[in-house]
Amino acid sequence: MRVVITGSAGFLGSHLADYLINSGHEVIGIDDFSTGSADNLYHLQQESKFDFIEHDIRDPIFIPSVDLILNFACPASPIHYQSDPVKTMETNFLGIVNMLHLAKKTRARLLQASTSEVYGDPQVSPQVESYWGNVNPIGIRSCYDEGKRAAETLCFDYRRQYGLDSRVIRIFNTYGPRMAENDGRVVSNFIIQALRQEELTIYGEGNQSRSFCFVSDLIKGIAAVAFAEKNFDQPVNLGNPNEFTMIELAKKVIEITGSTSTIRFLDLPQDDPRQRKPDLEFAKKYLGWEPTVQLNEGLKIVSDDFKKRIIH
Ligand code: NAD
Ligand code: UDP
């Protein structure tokens, strides 16, 4: 297949590009390098099956003979998506409009990277796909949450109105090698702080929970949805169901890195979800997919990656 990946210079997009090229597909990456990095694509420079276009997906684009579009362009870390909320909302909304236009013109299939953030601060746990969520429409996270919700709506409207083969996955917190040093999300922050023997910064009291998925598991789940013969009539949750509080995560990171760091408590940001855990029954039943990498194993791999790249 000829596959367009938007956000290909980012953490997930670059892993997806590797996976697809290794599976024999041709990949055209699109990115504006706002949170991604050319370093993530450096190893693909000589790869004949990889092409790259520097482009902001808020602007229309035409690429001929596309079979599949994976729309991953969007800042994913709260500090990044909140630093230019208007661009975040536009990337989500105008970006998916432009990619749906491209899919319609080329008759390509489209897979939208949505997020567990569409559940907001969930009042049910675990979060099953049929849950509509609890989202503040005007808060500091809304540019991301509501932007992603609007993008989901458009995917299903294009399917109903134009018969387009659009698919939606809801990704839960994922971590792995290649996370940016300045990403700001909790796993990379804690590991970098621990490796530098600095205090680990916990926001709030640290009793809020997240469930962390290792990137190799996620990529297999994405491919399972993207290449499934039949489309599903709903979004698909992808993540890891093992839930940890931020205190538990901090202790694990300190232990795994052998660090002497201690913990420092900072203010909890507005609208920070109190809990998050995916219900994965749908993915298990219809894709035969479930994650296998345990948190301890994954954290060790990420710690080794940061040691190689940034801790000297
Ligand atoms: P990332 O910031 O590493 O990657 C995003 C990429 O998109 C970057 O390379 C950035 O430069 C690019 N980009 C941003 N705005 C753009 C624009 N307007 N035009 C072109 N390129 C643009 O983040 P990530 O963790 O790799 O996330 C990728 C996607 O997966 C995002 O859509 C995110 O919402 C979704 N997601 C990720 C997670 C996770 O835990 N990593 C969880 C849920 C959803
Ligand atoms: N967090 C933290 N310390 C950090 C970064 C984040 O305690 O240095 C918390 C944050 O408040 C949230 C959780 O860790 O409760 C996950 O945050 P992240 O930004 O990784 O992703 P989110 O799931 O909030 O989008």
Side-chain angles (χ1 to χ4, degrees):
M1 279 195 181
R2 220 165 109 81
V3 186
V4 167
I5 305 178
T6 74
S8 62
F11 164 50
L12 295 182
S14 63
H15 281 284
L16 264 176
D18 289 351
Y19 180 92
L20 293 173
I21 287 166
N22 290 336
S23 312
H25 300 285
E26 189 187 334
V27 171
I28 301 144
I30 295 181
D31 207 291
D32 71 351
F33 293 119
S34 45
T35 56
S37 162
D39 292 349
N40 291 337
L41 300 175
Y42 186 75
H43 62 288
L44 294 176
Q45 259 185 344
Q46 306 301 327
E47 176 54 65
S48 60
K49 289 204 174 76
F50 183 72
D51 219 339
F52 181 78
I53 305 168
E54 186 170 347
H55 176 78
D56 183 332
I57 64 160
R58 293 179 296 169
D59 298 322
I61 186 166
F62 180 73
I63 301 166
S65 314
V66 178
D67 301 305
L68 173 66
I69 299 167
L70 304 175
N71 189 35
F72 278 68
C74 179
S77 166
I79 54 161
H80 291 301
Y81 68 66
Q82 288 164 18
S83 72
D84 191 345
V86 172
K87 181 179 174 191
T88 301
M89 190 71 182
E90 288 176 353
T91 296
N92 278 317
F93 184 76
L94 299 174
I96 190 68
V97 167
N98 288 325
M99 289 307 126
L100 285 164
H101 282 171
L102 179 61
K104 190 161 165 265
K105 275 189 200 142
T106 55
R107 296 172 190 277
R109 178 181 296 174
L110 178 145
L111 180 139
Q112 164 67 3
S114 191
T115 165
S116 53
E117 280 281 327
V118 300
Y119 301 120
D121 186 12
Q123 287 169 334
V124 302
S125 188
Q127 291 86 55
V128 64
E129 289 92 340
S130 55
Y131 177 52
W132 288 357
N134 176 36
V135 174
N136 176 356
I138 55 163
I140 56 172
R141 294 176 89 98
S142 315
C143 57
Y144 186 69
D145 301 13
E146 295 289 23
K148 290 284 186 180
R149 285 166 72 98
E152 286 198 6
T153 306
L154 275 164
C155 287
F156 281 87
D157 283 342
Y158 264 69
R159 193 200 281 201
R160 283 185 286 260
Q161 200 166 330
Y162 302 117
L164 198 120
D165 183 356
S166 54
R167 306 175 177 206
V168 173
I169 52 169
R170 291 183 178 154
I171 303 170
F172 284 66
N173 299 62
T174 299
Y175 67 102
R178 285 192 200 150
M179 293 189 84
E181 182 181 359
N182 70 347
D183 183 273
R185 281 175 279 184
V186 70
V187 173
S188 46
N189 272 9
F190 281 2
I191 291 180
I192 293 168
Q193 289 161 341
L195 291 175
R196 292 186 172 144
Q197 317 299 329
E198 292 168 357
E199 289 174 313
L200 271 61
T201 52
I202 287 189
Y203 303 160
E205 291 174 2
N207 297 321
Q208 72 271 38
S209 72
R210 296 292 187 272
S211 308
F212 298 100
C213 184
F214 190 67
V215 66
S216 59
D217 279 335
L218 182 83
I219 298 294
K220 288 179 202 147
I222 296 171
V225 177
F227 295 110
E229 250 173 59
K230 215 168 112 350
N231 199 350
F232 305 115
D233 59 2
Q234 62 164 76
V236 181
N237 281 346
L238 295 176
N240 185 306
N242 298 329
E243 191 177 10
F244 297 89
T245 65
M246 294 313 102
I247 290 189
E248 287 169 336
L249 177 69
K251 287 183 179 159
K252 258 185 193 297
V253 168
I254 289 172
E255 188 192 313
I256 284 164
T257 53
S259 173
T260 55
S261 293
T262 53
I263 289 173
R264 178 166 163 226
F265 292 90
L266 300 177
D267 288 345
L268 186 68
Q270 186 195 328
D271 292 339
D272 199 283
R274 277 162 295 181
Q275 56 178 347
R276 199 180 279 152
K277 173 185 166 80
D279 180 312
L280 297 174
E281 288 311 308
F282 188 89
K284 262 191 229 168
K285 186 166 171 194
Y286 293 101
L287 299 166
W289 174 87
E290 58 184 319
T292 59
V293 181
Q294 297 303 315
L295 187 58
N296 279 10
E297 196 189 331
L299 290 178
K300 176 84 180 67
I301 296 171
V302 178
S303 160
D304 290 345
D305 175 59
F306 275 126
K307 269 190 216 161
K308 246 191 337 214
R309 282 192 297 140
I310 61 159
I311 311 287
H312 304 292

